[in-house]
Amino acid sequence: MSSLLDKRLLVVTGKGGAGKTTVAVALGLAAAGHGKRVVVCEVSGGGRVSSLAPELTTVAVDPEEAKREWLRYQLRSRTLAGVLGGSSMFQYLTAAAPGLTELVTMGKVWDLAQLEPRTGGPAFDLAIVDAPATGHGLAMLRAPGTYSNIARVGPVGRHAERIDSFLRDARQTGVLAVALPEEMPVNETVEFERALARHLDISVDAIVVNAVHPARFRPEECRRLEAVAGGSRVARAAMEAALQEHRRARGEHGQVRRLRRATTAPVTTLPRIFEPELGRHAVERLSIELERKL
Ligand SMILES: Nc1ncnc2c1ncn2[C@@H]1O[C@H](COP(=O)(O)OP(=O)(O)OP(=O)(O)O)[C@@H](O)[C@H]1O
Ligand SMILES: [Mg+2]
């Protein structure tokens, strides 16, 4: 964990709904506990970070808004950008530059991780990014490299290149993938690790399998449960429910093993917490757990 928290930028990505925001906040709490000046940057999130952990500094980035702002800055004239803003020409220009939104978003995130942010804002030791789901997260990480290749000369290309080398520097940037113990999310995580290596030549620092059901029974206890016959209908129903839950946990643990075999990054798990919507207390619990395991 300490090596993860010693980086300057931590990108948390993973399948939609896997627990990216939860894990980003849990990491943020752990970093703050280590005395780090930490900022959690929520990219196209719903502001959940600040409601879960109001004491953490949070920054919300809306990619589309960031792109408009960047274009205004590039054009140096708010009026011109304003005029162009509503026109189809403006739309055409930005649509013609694939990955521009991702590049600008990454630029904002990168800036937060600098000791002297260009925006002149406060400096942080660590920026944790609650990134968009895997596909978009990968696009965001790839955009600077793509731009530094297509715009070799000029300020945009140079800036993109700086961001790209920062992302590829394992001492400065870490990538954490959040998965669920299910078939598709496991496949997606395996694919993500490969794509990251293929396109960026960087590795995933850690994989967190979130919301894993605990195994409540030992094999012997299971056999005894299965052997029980008779009893009231209620008792049998309760037993069937317990066994079903147990089989589910076993299936999940099988997925975790499959993930471990198919990836090179260290894989850790977080327990499922039985609450309809995780609150502050639950996230703190997960934070302690992560700290112990990473
Ligand atoms: N370990 C856990 N146990 C139980 N519930 C969890 C756990 N982790 C997250 N959740 C719940 O699952 C839901 C999704 O979590 P979260 O918002 O962190 O995922 P996400 O990957 O950020 O989602 P999105 O892709 O929508 O941004 C939330 O309701 C959260 O409270
Ligand atoms: Mg989220």
Side-chain angles (χ1 to χ4, degrees):
M1 180 72 146
S2 66
S3 74
L4 267 185
L5 299 184
D6 284 338
K7 296 185 196 280
R8 304 208 49 79
L9 178 65
L10 261 184
V11 180
V12 181
T13 184
K15 199 176 173 61
K20 298 177 293 295
T21 303
T22 306
V23 168
V25 172
L27 285 169
L29 291 173
H34 280 251
K36 301 265 180 200
R37 294 170 299 173
V38 59
V39 58
V40 180
C41 177
E42 203 176 0
V43 176
S44 41
R48 266 192 61 229
V49 172
S50 47
S51 63
L52 277 174
E55 78 272 42
L56 291 179
T57 306
T58 56
V59 169
V61 176
D62 170 358
E64 288 302 321
E65 174 55 32
K67 181 172 73 178
R68 282 194 293 273
E69 184 191 294
W70 183 83
L71 282 161
R72 272 202 299 272
Y73 175 78
Q74 292 298 320
L75 295 167
R76 310 262 172 204
S77 153
R78 283 168 183 273
T79 335
L80 182 57
V83 171
L84 284 172
S87 78
S88 51
M89 184 62 185
F90 181 85
Q91 308 257 312
Y92 175 77
L93 273 176
T94 55
L100 181 60
T101 312
E102 287 80 4
L103 174 70
V104 173
T105 305
M106 204 57 241
K108 284 215 136 194
V109 166
W110 170 84
D111 195 50
L112 282 173
Q114 304 309 303
L115 279 173
E116 284 176 27
R118 301 198 313 169
T119 50
F124 299 102
D125 302 308
L126 173 66
I128 298 173
V129 194
D130 177 10
T134 324
H136 273 111
L138 186 65
M140 231 174 82
L141 290 165
R142 285 184 67 181
T146 310
Y147 267 80
S148 71
N149 276 330
I150 54 177
R152 282 193 180 283
V153 288
V156 174
R158 276 197 301 276
H159 187 51
E161 199 185 334
R162 279 184 73 191
I163 300 174
D164 183 51
S165 33
F166 186 84
L167 293 178
R168 288 171 195 265
D169 181 352
R171 284 166 309 168
Q172 315 217 66
T173 301
V175 177
L176 199 142
V178 183
L180 289 173
E182 296 159 19
E183 173 101 23
M184 293 309 287
V186 163
N187 294 348
E188 197 172 307
T189 310
V190 171
E191 196 36 58
F192 175 71
E193 188 183 58
R194 287 182 190 157
L196 205 61
R198 187 164 61 237
H199 297 301
L200 280 130
D201 197 25
I202 60 180
S203 44
V204 173
D205 289 79
I207 296 171
V208 175
V209 189
N210 186 30
V212 180
H213 280 78
R216 298 193 195 276
F217 307 116
R218 284 180 307 222
E220 171 53 27
E221 290 171 327
C222 249
R223 273 191 293 278
R224 288 220 304 269
L225 271 176
E226 272 159 354
V228 173
S232 69
R233 245 179 49 208
V234 175
R236 280 204 308 276
M239 213 146 54
E240 190 44 48
L243 279 170
Q244 227 171 54
E245 175 88 357
H246 179 76
R247 282 180 212 119
R248 178 193 180 127
R250 270 217 320 247
E252 291 187 357
H253 301 169
Q255 293 294 342
V256 175
R257 281 195 300 277
R258 188 165 74 85
L259 183 60
R260 284 209 167 99
R261 282 197 298 271
T263 52
T264 50
V267 175
T268 49
T269 60
L270 284 178
R272 166 162 291 272
I273 291 180
F274 296 91
E275 278 172 33
E277 185 63 35
L278 296 197
R280 167 59 193 231
H281 184 72
V283 177
E284 237 161 58
R285 208 184 115 193
L286 294 175
S287 174
I288 293 166
E289 188 104 9
L290 262 184
E291 184 150 19
R292 202 161 51 76
K293 288 181 166 175
L294 278 179

